[in-house]
Amino acid sequence: MTSNKVNQILFNALTPSNGGRLSKIVNGIIISTILITVVSIILESEPSIRIQYSHWFYCIEIGSTLLFTLEYIARLYVIPLDKEYCHLSPFKARLKYATSFFSVIDLLAIIPFIVSFFFVDLRILRLLRLVRIFKLTRYNTAMNTLLSVIKQEANAFLSVIFILMIILVIAASGVYYFERTAQPEHFGSILKSMWWAMVTLTTVGYGDVFPITPMGKLFSSVIMVMGIGLVALPAGILASGFSDKLHKNQDQYRKAVKISLRDGKISKIERELLKDIQLKNNLSDEEAEDIERMEYQRIEEEHYKHCPHCGKSLEHQF
Amino acid sequence: MTSNKVNQILFNALTPSNGGRLSKIVNGIIISTILITVVSIILESEPSIRIQYSHWFYCIEIGSTLLFTLEYIARLYVIPLDKEYCHLSPFKARLKYATSFFSVIDLLAIIPFIVSFFFVDLRILRLLRLVRIFKLTRYNTAMNTLLSVIKQEANAFLSVIFILMIILVIAASGVYYFERTAQPEHFGSILKSMWWAMVTLTTVGYGDVFPITPMGKLFSSVIMVMGIGLVALPAGILASGFSDKLHKNQDQYRKAVKISLRDGKISKIERELLKDIQLKNNLSDEEAEDIERMEYQRIEEEHYKHCPHCGKSLEHQF
Amino acid sequence: MTSNKVNQILFNALTPSNGGRLSKIVNGIIISTILITVVSIILESEPSIRIQYSHWFYCIEIGSTLLFTLEYIARLYVIPLDKEYCHLSPFKARLKYATSFFSVIDLLAIIPFIVSFFFVDLRILRLLRLVRIFKLTRYNTAMNTLLSVIKQEANAFLSVIFILMIILVIAASGVYYFERTAQPEHFGSILKSMWWAMVTLTTVGYGDVFPITPMGKLFSSVIMVMGIGLVALPAGILASGFSDKLHKNQDQYRKAVKISLRDGKISKIERELLKDIQLKNNLSDEEAEDIERMEYQRIEEEHYKHCPHCGKSLEHQF
Amino acid sequence: MTSNKVNQILFNALTPSNGGRLSKIVNGIIISTILITVVSIILESEPSIRIQYSHWFYCIEIGSTLLFTLEYIARLYVIPLDKEYCHLSPFKARLKYATSFFSVIDLLAIIPFIVSFFFVDLRILRLLRLVRIFKLTRYNTAMNTLLSVIKQEANAFLSVIFILMIILVIAASGVYYFERTAQPEHFGSILKSMWWAMVTLTTVGYGDVFPITPMGKLFSSVIMVMGIGLVALPAGILASGFSDKLHKNQDQYRKAVKISLRDGKISKIERELLKDIQLKNNLSDEEAEDIERMEYQRIEEEHYKHCPHCGKSLEHQF
């Protein structure tokens, strides 16, 4: 039983949305370590800084990898206590969790250092440590919302990317035809012209390559006007989907709060249900509190708008 | 009768949405050949690759043209069996089909090679083979959706293009007036200034031409702020139209699935009707399956939300 | 009475939406002349073309000015017959019309040539002839729609332009502070830095000026992310307003057609009312016809969807 | 009592929305002084102008600071008369107001000159005087609307900025990996590469840095297509939020006008209530008048659409 209790405490400490004091401390340490490690990787890439503070970077690296390794093992150990996995045997639960998105990210966050420590030290391995940034996904609700939007609109994205490919081929082929004699170094083949097509269709327009023949300029003009709309399609779909999702999630929580507040207060059972709905809708604690505060305010205002004697609305009386 | 049966089999094999095994193989071969041929045209434009692998490109070219020619003849031969054409005499059906969008694309996909093989070998003909990329339209639902959006919003596009023309003329004339003395090589005439106007209004901004006089810069600033909104108009119309269409098509299929599922299952007749609705709404098989799965799930959840004893909703009981 | 009849014929001939044969010819000639004259002004700006074809440009200029002068006088003469002006005395009607938007454009289209012919020949006057392009507004429904959107959202535009000004001043001042020592030729004063601010905030990014100091780059990054949303505001307001207006106009006409078609046909009186509604909603004849055709089709389909015996809907029966 | 009266007059004169003649004059002077002072700061930064007109700039500076100081003291003095602060003791009201947004801006607008006059004259202090531009916020309804949108969508913005940070790090790290050997001066560290990432993801594309290796170009292409949608997210959220807010504010005022006009006219009490609603919804006087005029017109039209004898609708009778 003692072992079970320790396990439970460990599990609670590692769950971000638990709300307990220990959980806040543990997760705070993990988030800080992720941020410190990402900043140190960015700074380390600057040669002058790398030479001067190499000792510090090494310490951060060893410390963070140790912490993340412990975290990985601990999570794998207590996962059978998780609601989603509790119906499986401990071994199966661990196996299933080990292949989940979050677990793979956790593993990828420690492997590069271990490989470069025990085996070979490749430059690329250092950059791969940046995968640690994705560990933040576990704590950031916006990332989860974004991922769910991308998943939901996956078909639309695939459709649009297919159309983009066709436009890219047409744009690159056209400009190759018109400019290949005038600028063989930039438009000497369709493959080379594709760089121009990408830079132009996304309206980045670095100015390293641009058409110089009159026909090339005319063709580019047509491609610019026509293509821009199509290249903006995925951005538009993503933006509207993300914005919709954010509002929808908030609305669902608001609805739940409204129902809970029918009797004027949120009971303990209602609180737990609200917590579940909050997590399901990827809302941060701040957002949830904001919504609740607004609902309380609304109820008060509603009350104020009705005559305290007869209960009739006072809203349209002026 | 044997001939009729062969015709029917051939017709089924060539119909993408038929779903039969033979159809899947035949259409898979056609799609692969289109992709291979497009990639080979792109690679062939690179001189170093062209010289080294010229033999391969020649083989791909002959093989693909042969296949597409056979496909073209076969489609023309079996078209009287098509639902859309079956009320016409075989000759009239073939004639009508031969002038349809898909048939013209199919013909254009084989003509360039035949011309360059038997008559003259022009460079432009090689690029024209890229029209084969449009053969994919038959298999890609997104392209069909896009084409139908363009058709539907054609009036809006024409209106906007007319306005674009006017802004282009005004922008080019203005900058020509202010910059023609300072940079006669770039702004020496309104026609020359139009390149600047296009590059600026689309916000590509290569940096090959830009105003240098104070008045030219002031005029450009006004044009930038005012013109950008107008140049973004077609992109906006297209993006919102495309997104609306995608969701509308899915909604129509969802509605049909919902009606079919009233009795809890999809009968064989309902399945055929759904297939028709799916095709009419340019939905791929994956999308259709997704929608059906979601509907089944919704029904299950609905069931779960009602008390199994009294049938009353359990949703608002917490 | 003969004079009255001639006046009426002249008035009808000059009204674009009249639909009569003479009106079509007269307005066709005017539109063609506008287009020819605009193209000739654009071509004339090219020195090599100007020298070679100067005789042609002169002829086009004299001819078109003559035609536009006649048009201006004729319109002023028959305007008392117009519905909008018929309640005024002929003199007052002409005076009021002479100060209207269309009449001023008509006058501005002929003045430059007359001034340069009789008085002084200034280069700027030649460019001012381009104002003729706005004469097309009378015939183009999209331009009218755009103007009405700009008028309707004028308050929003003014608000946004005020905000833009503030961001522009802040961006220019900031980059001036950070870059003035490093690049005094580009960022030597706030006024000079404003060109950079415009080019950056509109995302045109020519690349003629850009920050090079670390602090300047950091400040620019913040301005880019924050400012882009604000600079895109007028574009967004315009685009959504334009798209809404186009659909709203079509909906209003569709509603009117629907009501007229209740009895299955459009009577002569209904036709006149529809014509009025079409003009009020800035719809071109093609758009109006499209809507009518679609309504006829809808009625037919509706009919087909109901049982011919009992009148009940057949829609949900599969 | 005289003192009270003077205080009241002073308070009315300083309230922008008061509508009295004195208020209009006083606020007009303040707005003009703000604009003059901002223009003079911009012009002063140009060395040639600064030398020639340094006397003028000095006078403007002294005069404006004097006026703003008087304004600051006066506002602080009369604030206990304000509706929002009248329930507090005069001292507490003044203390609370002194820490409000508007009061801090007012203070910041006078401090730089006072410091540079009595203590040290630093260049940065001169630029800080530009904070005076924010004094306009008190008079401009659009700024208030924008601030309330930013406040309302703050959670969405924070989410998106977090995602932006991650993309920025990924883009910069990737291009650093592919380009660091080819262009160590531009992509020598992740920090340096971040400038490229910002310029590319915002589609500004100055062209001072761009990838030149094939792999770098391929990676950039992927980042461009994927990242652009995400960088456009805050812009999209802001634009749609601002547009929604503007229309919502107008709708609320329209609704209030409609209710007030039920009896055909706006009484004095209703006028005061409307004024309150107008201020709460950040509507300018012009916008409020526009809405009222439109409502009057709508009522008239409504009246016209009903038979004066039987009161039945005449709308669907043609």
Side-chain angles (χ1 to χ4, degrees), chain A residues 45-46 123 130 142 203 205-206 239 287 318, chain D residues 159 173 189-190 196 200 205 207 233 273:
Chain A
S45 73
E46 179 71 50
R123 191 61 163 280
L130 270 172
T203 78
Y206 290 125
E287 287 173 299
F318 59 90
Chain D
S159 306
S173 309
S189 72
I190 296 177
W196 168 85
T200 300
L233 274 181
L273 275 160

mmCIF file with all atom_site columns, all heavy atoms in Angstrom, chain A residues 45-46 123 130 142 203 205-206 239 287 318, chain D residues 159 173 189-190 196 200 205 207 233 273:
data_model
loop_
_atom_site.group_PDB
_atom_site.id
_atom_site.type_symbol
_atom_site.label_atom_id
_atom_site.label_alt_id
_atom_site.label_comp_id
_atom_site.label_asym_id
_atom_site.label_entity_id
_atom_site.label_seq_id
_atom_site.pdbx_PDB_ins_code
_atom_site.Cartn_x
_atom_site.Cartn_y
_atom_site.Cartn_z
_atom_site.occupancy
_atom_site.B_iso_or_equiv
_atom_site.pdbx_formal_charge
_atom_site.auth_seq_id
_atom_site.auth_comp_id
_atom_site.auth_asym_id
_atom_site.auth_atom_id
_atom_site.pdbx_PDB_model_num
ATOM 1   N N   . SER A 1 45  ? 25.079  28.136 -30.381 1.00 0.00 ? 45  SER A N   1
ATOM 2   C CA  . SER A 1 45  ? 25.380  28.130 -31.816 1.00 0.00 ? 45  SER A CA  1
ATOM 3   C C   . SER A 1 45  ? 26.233  29.326 -32.220 1.00 0.00 ? 45  SER A C   1
ATOM 4   O O   . SER A 1 45  ? 26.845  29.330 -33.284 1.00 0.00 ? 45  SER A O   1
ATOM 5   C CB  . SER A 1 45  ? 24.076  28.119 -32.625 1.00 0.00 ? 45  SER A CB  1
ATOM 6   O OG  . SER A 1 45  ? 23.457  29.389 -32.561 1.00 0.00 ? 45  SER A OG  1
ATOM 7   N N   . GLU A 1 46  ? 26.279  30.347 -31.380 1.00 0.00 ? 46  GLU A N   1
ATOM 8   C CA  . GLU A 1 46  ? 27.123  31.521 -31.653 1.00 0.00 ? 46  GLU A CA  1
ATOM 9   C C   . GLU A 1 46  ? 28.556  31.173 -31.241 1.00 0.00 ? 46  GLU A C   1
ATOM 10  O O   . GLU A 1 46  ? 28.829  30.963 -30.050 1.00 0.00 ? 46  GLU A O   1
ATOM 11  C CB  . GLU A 1 46  ? 26.597  32.714 -30.831 1.00 0.00 ? 46  GLU A CB  1
ATOM 12  C CG  . GLU A 1 46  ? 27.373  33.998 -30.991 1.00 0.00 ? 46  GLU A CG  1
ATOM 13  C CD  . GLU A 1 46  ? 27.175  34.635 -32.347 1.00 0.00 ? 46  GLU A CD  1
ATOM 14  O OE1 . GLU A 1 46  ? 26.015  34.802 -32.767 1.00 0.00 ? 46  GLU A OE1 1
ATOM 15  O OE2 . GLU A 1 46  ? 28.192  34.953 -32.992 1.00 0.00 ? 46  GLU A OE2 1
ATOM 16  N N   . ARG A 1 123 ? 27.459  17.284 -35.089 1.00 0.00 ? 123 ARG A N   1
ATOM 17  C CA  . ARG A 1 123 ? 26.853  18.615 -34.982 1.00 0.00 ? 123 ARG A CA  1
ATOM 18  C C   . ARG A 1 123 ? 25.329  18.539 -35.055 1.00 0.00 ? 123 ARG A C   1
ATOM 19  O O   . ARG A 1 123 ? 24.629  19.185 -34.293 1.00 0.00 ? 123 ARG A O   1
ATOM 20  C CB  . ARG A 1 123 ? 27.396  19.486 -36.125 1.00 0.00 ? 123 ARG A CB  1
ATOM 21  C CG  . ARG A 1 123 ? 27.069  20.941 -36.005 1.00 0.00 ? 123 ARG A CG  1
ATOM 22  C CD  . ARG A 1 123 ? 27.686  21.494 -34.721 1.00 0.00 ? 123 ARG A CD  1
ATOM 23  N NE  . ARG A 1 123 ? 27.764  22.923 -34.721 1.00 0.00 ? 123 ARG A NE  1
ATOM 24  C CZ  . ARG A 1 123 ? 28.701  23.630 -35.345 1.00 0.00 ? 123 ARG A CZ  1
ATOM 25  N NH1 . ARG A 1 123 ? 29.661  23.036 -36.031 1.00 0.00 ? 123 ARG A NH1 1
ATOM 26  N NH2 . ARG A 1 123 ? 28.710  24.946 -35.258 1.00 0.00 ? 123 ARG A NH2 1
ATOM 27  N N   . LEU A 1 130 ? 16.877  20.409 -29.972 1.00 0.00 ? 130 LEU A N   1
ATOM 28  C CA  . LEU A 1 130 ? 15.816  21.416 -30.024 1.00 0.00 ? 130 LEU A CA  1
ATOM 29  C C   . LEU A 1 130 ? 14.420  20.794 -30.007 1.00 0.00 ? 130 LEU A C   1
ATOM 30  O O   . LEU A 1 130 ? 13.431  21.486 -29.791 1.00 0.00 ? 130 LEU A O   1
ATOM 31  C CB  . LEU A 1 130 ? 15.959  22.291 -31.273 1.00 0.00 ? 130 LEU A CB  1
ATOM 32  C CG  . LEU A 1 130 ? 16.825  23.519 -31.081 1.00 0.00 ? 130 LEU A CG  1
ATOM 33  C CD1 . LEU A 1 130 ? 17.056  24.211 -32.397 1.00 0.00 ? 130 LEU A CD1 1
ATOM 34  C CD2 . LEU A 1 130 ? 16.168  24.475 -30.097 1.00 0.00 ? 130 LEU A CD2 1
ATOM 35  N N   . ALA A 1 142 ? -2.604  26.214 -26.464 1.00 0.00 ? 142 ALA A N   1
ATOM 36  C CA  . ALA A 1 142 ? -2.716  26.723 -27.829 1.00 0.00 ? 142 ALA A CA  1
ATOM 37  C C   . ALA A 1 142 ? -2.151  25.727 -28.828 1.00 0.00 ? 142 ALA A C   1
ATOM 38  O O   . ALA A 1 142 ? -2.713  25.514 -29.899 1.00 0.00 ? 142 ALA A O   1
ATOM 39  C CB  . ALA A 1 142 ? -2.000  28.058 -27.955 1.00 0.00 ? 142 ALA A CB  1
ATOM 40  N N   . THR A 1 203 ? 4.917   35.755 -51.943 1.00 0.00 ? 203 THR A N   1
ATOM 41  C CA  . THR A 1 203 ? 5.106   37.225 -51.879 1.00 0.00 ? 203 THR A CA  1
ATOM 42  C C   . THR A 1 203 ? 6.291   37.618 -50.995 1.00 0.00 ? 203 THR A C   1
ATOM 43  O O   . THR A 1 203 ? 6.381   38.770 -50.590 1.00 0.00 ? 203 THR A O   1
ATOM 44  C CB  . THR A 1 203 ? 3.853   37.989 -51.405 1.00 0.00 ? 203 THR A CB  1
ATOM 45  O OG1 . THR A 1 203 ? 3.725   37.888 -50.011 1.00 0.00 ? 203 THR A OG1 1
ATOM 46  C CG2 . THR A 1 203 ? 2.604   37.542 -52.088 1.00 0.00 ? 203 THR A CG2 1
ATOM 47  N N   . GLY A 1 205 ? 9.540   37.562 -52.059 1.00 0.00 ? 205 GLY A N   1
ATOM 48  C CA  . GLY A 1 205 ? 10.241  38.429 -53.005 1.00 0.00 ? 205 GLY A CA  1
ATOM 49  C C   . GLY A 1 205 ? 11.576  38.950 -52.528 1.00 0.00 ? 205 GLY A C   1
ATOM 50  O O   . GLY A 1 205 ? 11.776  40.161 -52.428 1.00 0.00 ? 205 GLY A O   1
ATOM 51  N N   . TYR A 1 206 ? 12.549  38.043 -52.270 1.00 0.00 ? 206 TYR A N   1
ATOM 52  C CA  . TYR A 1 206 ? 13.863  38.489 -51.815 1.00 0.00 ? 206 TYR A CA  1
ATOM 53  C C   . TYR A 1 206 ? 14.511  39.432 -52.821 1.00 0.00 ? 206 TYR A C   1
ATOM 54  O O   . TYR A 1 206 ? 15.197  40.373 -52.440 1.00 0.00 ? 206 TYR A O   1
ATOM 55  C CB  . TYR A 1 206 ? 14.805  37.288 -51.626 1.00 0.00 ? 206 TYR A CB  1
ATOM 56  C CG  . TYR A 1 206 ? 14.460  36.402 -50.465 1.00 0.00 ? 206 TYR A CG  1
ATOM 57  C CD1 . TYR A 1 206 ? 14.250  35.051 -50.644 1.00 0.00 ? 206 TYR A CD1 1
ATOM 58  C CD2 . TYR A 1 206 ? 14.367  36.917 -49.186 1.00 0.00 ? 206 TYR A CD2 1
ATOM 59  C CE1 . TYR A 1 206 ? 13.960  34.225 -49.585 1.00 0.00 ? 206 TYR A CE1 1
ATOM 60  C CE2 . TYR A 1 206 ? 14.076  36.088 -48.114 1.00 0.00 ? 206 TYR A CE2 1
ATOM 61  C CZ  . TYR A 1 206 ? 13.874  34.747 -48.323 1.00 0.00 ? 206 TYR A CZ  1
ATOM 62  O OH  . TYR A 1 206 ? 13.586  33.935 -47.268 1.00 0.00 ? 206 TYR A OH  1
ATOM 63  N N   . ALA A 1 239 ? -6.071  29.944 -40.275 1.00 0.00 ? 239 ALA A N   1
ATOM 64  C CA  . ALA A 1 239 ? -6.421  31.078 -39.422 1.00 0.00 ? 239 ALA A CA  1
ATOM 65  C C   . ALA A 1 239 ? -7.873  31.008 -38.984 1.00 0.00 ? 239 ALA A C   1
ATOM 66  O O   . ALA A 1 239 ? -8.189  31.149 -37.804 1.00 0.00 ? 239 ALA A O   1
ATOM 67  C CB  . ALA A 1 239 ? -6.141  32.389 -40.143 1.00 0.00 ? 239 ALA A CB  1
ATOM 68  N N   . GLU A 1 287 ? -7.847  31.230 -18.777 1.00 0.00 ? 287 GLU A N   1
ATOM 69  C CA  . GLU A 1 287 ? -9.026  31.381 -19.631 1.00 0.00 ? 287 GLU A CA  1
ATOM 70  C C   . GLU A 1 287 ? -10.281 30.904 -18.912 1.00 0.00 ? 287 GLU A C   1
ATOM 71  O O   . GLU A 1 287 ? -11.332 31.556 -18.951 1.00 0.00 ? 287 GLU A O   1
ATOM 72  C CB  . GLU A 1 287 ? -8.830  30.593 -20.927 1.00 0.00 ? 287 GLU A CB  1
ATOM 73  C CG  . GLU A 1 287 ? -7.830  31.239 -21.866 1.00 0.00 ? 287 GLU A CG  1
ATOM 74  C CD  . GLU A 1 287 ? -7.515  30.356 -23.066 1.00 0.00 ? 287 GLU A CD  1
ATOM 75  O OE1 . GLU A 1 287 ? -7.014  29.229 -22.854 1.00 0.00 ? 287 GLU A OE1 1
ATOM 76  O OE2 . GLU A 1 287 ? -7.755  30.788 -24.189 1.00 0.00 ? 287 GLU A OE2 1
ATOM 77  N N   . PHE A 1 318 ? -36.308 52.334 -20.789 1.00 0.00 ? 318 PHE A N   1
ATOM 78  C CA  . PHE A 1 318 ? -35.941 53.748 -20.950 1.00 0.00 ? 318 PHE A CA  1
ATOM 79  C C   . PHE A 1 318 ? -36.527 54.308 -22.236 1.00 0.00 ? 318 PHE A C   1
ATOM 80  O O   . PHE A 1 318 ? -36.902 53.572 -23.123 1.00 0.00 ? 318 PHE A O   1
ATOM 81  C CB  . PHE A 1 318 ? -34.425 53.952 -20.917 1.00 0.00 ? 318 PHE A CB  1
ATOM 82  C CG  . PHE A 1 318 ? -33.675 53.209 -21.974 1.00 0.00 ? 318 PHE A CG  1
ATOM 83  C CD1 . PHE A 1 318 ? -33.416 53.792 -23.228 1.00 0.00 ? 318 PHE A CD1 1
ATOM 84  C CD2 . PHE A 1 318 ? -33.261 51.903 -21.759 1.00 0.00 ? 318 PHE A CD2 1
ATOM 85  C CE1 . PHE A 1 318 ? -32.731 53.100 -24.186 1.00 0.00 ? 318 PHE A CE1 1
ATOM 86  C CE2 . PHE A 1 318 ? -32.596 51.216 -22.720 1.00 0.00 ? 318 PHE A CE2 1
ATOM 87  C CZ  . PHE A 1 318 ? -32.326 51.807 -23.941 1.00 0.00 ? 318 PHE A CZ  1
ATOM 88  N N   . SER D 1 159 ? -1.428  32.917 -27.010 1.00 0.00 ? 159 SER D N   1
ATOM 89  C CA  . SER D 1 159 ? -1.289  31.583 -27.573 1.00 0.00 ? 159 SER D CA  1
ATOM 90  C C   . SER D 1 159 ? -0.527  31.641 -28.883 1.00 0.00 ? 159 SER D C   1
ATOM 91  O O   . SER D 1 159 ? 0.409   30.869 -29.125 1.00 0.00 ? 159 SER D O   1
ATOM 92  C CB  . SER D 1 159 ? -2.671  30.980 -27.849 1.00 0.00 ? 159 SER D CB  1
ATOM 93  O OG  . SER D 1 159 ? -3.469  31.007 -26.717 1.00 0.00 ? 159 SER D OG  1
ATOM 94  N N   . SER D 1 173 ? 16.808  27.600 -36.674 1.00 0.00 ? 173 SER D N   1
ATOM 95  C CA  . SER D 1 173 ? 17.729  26.482 -36.459 1.00 0.00 ? 173 SER D CA  1
ATOM 96  C C   . SER D 1 173 ? 17.952  25.716 -37.756 1.00 0.00 ? 173 SER D C   1
ATOM 97  O O   . SER D 1 173 ? 19.085  25.333 -38.079 1.00 0.00 ? 173 SER D O   1
ATOM 98  C CB  . SER D 1 173 ? 17.160  25.524 -35.407 1.00 0.00 ? 173 SER D CB  1
ATOM 99  O OG  . SER D 1 173 ? 16.788  26.224 -34.265 1.00 0.00 ? 173 SER D OG  1
ATOM 100 N N   . SER D 1 189 ? 25.004  31.736 -36.734 1.00 0.00 ? 189 SER D N   1
ATOM 101 C CA  . SER D 1 189 ? 24.456  31.227 -35.477 1.00 0.00 ? 189 SER D CA  1
ATOM 102 C C   . SER D 1 189 ? 22.934  31.278 -35.560 1.00 0.00 ? 189 SER D C   1
ATOM 103 O O   . SER D 1 189 ? 22.382  31.925 -36.449 1.00 0.00 ? 189 SER D O   1
ATOM 104 C CB  . SER D 1 189 ? 24.942  32.075 -34.298 1.00 0.00 ? 189 SER D CB  1
ATOM 105 O OG  . SER D 1 189 ? 24.297  33.320 -34.327 1.00 0.00 ? 189 SER D OG  1
ATOM 106 N N   . ILE D 1 190 ? 22.270  30.580 -34.627 1.00 0.00 ? 190 ILE D N   1
ATOM 107 C CA  . ILE D 1 190 ? 20.804  30.569 -34.663 1.00 0.00 ? 190 ILE D CA  1
ATOM 108 C C   . ILE D 1 190 ? 20.274  31.986 -34.443 1.00 0.00 ? 190 ILE D C   1
ATOM 109 O O   . ILE D 1 190 ? 19.307  32.410 -35.080 1.00 0.00 ? 190 ILE D O   1
ATOM 110 C CB  . ILE D 1 190 ? 20.251  29.594 -33.602 1.00 0.00 ? 190 ILE D CB  1
ATOM 111 C CG1 . ILE D 1 190 ? 20.679  28.157 -33.932 1.00 0.00 ? 190 ILE D CG1 1
ATOM 112 C CG2 . ILE D 1 190 ? 18.733  29.670 -33.554 1.00 0.00 ? 190 ILE D CG2 1
ATOM 113 C CD1 . ILE D 1 190 ? 20.254  27.118 -32.926 1.00 0.00 ? 190 ILE D CD1 1
ATOM 114 N N   . TRP D 1 196 ? 16.702  36.419 -40.521 1.00 0.00 ? 196 TRP D N   1
ATOM 115 C CA  . TRP D 1 196 ? 16.184  35.866 -41.779 1.00 0.00 ? 196 TRP D CA  1
ATOM 116 C C   . TRP D 1 196 ? 14.793  35.277 -41.549 1.00 0.00 ? 196 TRP D C   1
ATOM 117 O O   . TRP D 1 196 ? 13.880  35.484 -42.347 1.00 0.00 ? 196 TRP D O   1
ATOM 118 C CB  . TRP D 1 196 ? 17.122  34.780 -42.319 1.00 0.00 ? 196 TRP D CB  1
ATOM 119 C CG  . TRP D 1 196 ? 16.495  33.999 -43.422 1.00 0.00 ? 196 TRP D CG  1
ATOM 120 C CD1 . TRP D 1 196 ? 16.478  34.325 -44.751 1.00 0.00 ? 196 TRP D CD1 1
ATOM 121 C CD2 . TRP D 1 196 ? 15.738  32.786 -43.301 1.00 0.00 ? 196 TRP D CD2 1
ATOM 122 N NE1 . TRP D 1 196 ? 15.767  33.388 -45.465 1.00 0.00 ? 196 TRP D NE1 1
ATOM 123 C CE2 . TRP D 1 196 ? 15.303  32.435 -44.598 1.00 0.00 ? 196 TRP D CE2 1
ATOM 124 C CE3 . TRP D 1 196 ? 15.390  31.958 -42.230 1.00 0.00 ? 196 TRP D CE3 1
ATOM 125 C CZ2 . TRP D 1 196 ? 14.542  31.303 -44.845 1.00 0.00 ? 196 TRP D CZ2 1
ATOM 126 C CZ3 . TRP D 1 196 ? 14.620  30.833 -42.475 1.00 0.00 ? 196 TRP D CZ3 1
ATOM 127 C CH2 . TRP D 1 196 ? 14.208  30.505 -43.767 1.00 0.00 ? 196 TRP D CH2 1
ATOM 128 N N   . THR D 1 200 ? 11.436  36.503 -43.451 1.00 0.00 ? 200 THR D N   1
ATOM 129 C CA  . THR D 1 200 ? 10.798  35.564 -44.370 1.00 0.00 ? 200 THR D CA  1
ATOM 130 C C   . THR D 1 200 ? 9.377   35.225 -43.931 1.00 0.00 ? 200 THR D C   1
ATOM 131 O O   . THR D 1 200 ? 8.446   35.250 -44.736 1.00 0.00 ? 200 THR D O   1
ATOM 132 C CB  . THR D 1 200 ? 11.633  34.269 -44.473 1.00 0.00 ? 200 THR D CB  1
ATOM 133 O OG1 . THR D 1 200 ? 12.919  34.627 -44.952 1.00 0.00 ? 200 THR D OG1 1
ATOM 134 C CG2 . THR D 1 200 ? 10.984  33.267 -45.405 1.00 0.00 ? 200 THR D CG2 1
ATOM 135 N N   . GLY D 1 205 ? 10.696  40.039 -46.806 1.00 0.00 ? 205 GLY D N   1
ATOM 136 C CA  . GLY D 1 205 ? 11.698  39.638 -47.794 1.00 0.00 ? 205 GLY D CA  1
ATOM 137 C C   . GLY D 1 205 ? 12.548  40.762 -48.347 1.00 0.00 ? 205 GLY D C   1
ATOM 138 O O   . GLY D 1 205 ? 12.540  41.014 -49.547 1.00 0.00 ? 205 GLY D O   1
ATOM 139 N N   . GLY D 1 207 ? 15.662  40.848 -48.869 1.00 0.00 ? 207 GLY D N   1
ATOM 140 C CA  . GLY D 1 207 ? 16.654  40.357 -49.816 1.00 0.00 ? 207 GLY D CA  1
ATOM 141 C C   . GLY D 1 207 ? 18.069  40.591 -49.334 1.00 0.00 ? 207 GLY D C   1
ATOM 142 O O   . GLY D 1 207 ? 19.014  40.398 -50.085 1.00 0.00 ? 207 GLY D O   1
ATOM 143 N N   . LEU D 1 233 ? -1.766  34.606 -38.389 1.00 0.00 ? 233 LEU D N   1
ATOM 144 C CA  . LEU D 1 233 ? -2.816  34.369 -37.399 1.00 0.00 ? 233 LEU D CA  1
ATOM 145 C C   . LEU D 1 233 ? -3.135  35.608 -36.554 1.00 0.00 ? 233 LEU D C   1
ATOM 146 O O   . LEU D 1 233 ? -4.295  36.009 -36.480 1.00 0.00 ? 233 LEU D O   1
ATOM 147 C CB  . LEU D 1 233 ? -2.423  33.210 -36.476 1.00 0.00 ? 233 LEU D CB  1
ATOM 148 C CG  . LEU D 1 233 ? -2.778  31.809 -36.966 1.00 0.00 ? 233 LEU D CG  1
ATOM 149 C CD1 . LEU D 1 233 ? -2.360  30.777 -35.941 1.00 0.00 ? 233 LEU D CD1 1
ATOM 150 C CD2 . LEU D 1 233 ? -4.268  31.697 -37.211 1.00 0.00 ? 233 LEU D CD2 1
ATOM 151 N N   . LEU D 1 273 ? -29.601 59.052 -22.344 1.00 0.00 ? 273 LEU D N   1
ATOM 152 C CA  . LEU D 1 273 ? -29.300 57.623 -22.313 1.00 0.00 ? 273 LEU D CA  1
ATOM 153 C C   . LEU D 1 273 ? -28.536 57.207 -23.565 1.00 0.00 ? 273 LEU D C   1
ATOM 154 O O   . LEU D 1 273 ? -27.579 56.440 -23.504 1.00 0.00 ? 273 LEU D O   1
ATOM 155 C CB  . LEU D 1 273 ? -30.608 56.820 -22.209 1.00 0.00 ? 273 LEU D CB  1
ATOM 156 C CG  . LEU D 1 273 ? -31.142 56.638 -20.793 1.00 0.00 ? 273 LEU D CG  1
ATOM 157 C CD1 . LEU D 1 273 ? -32.613 56.299 -20.816 1.00 0.00 ? 273 LEU D CD1 1
ATOM 158 C CD2 . LEU D 1 273 ? -30.362 55.545 -20.063 1.00 0.00 ? 273 LEU D CD2 1
#
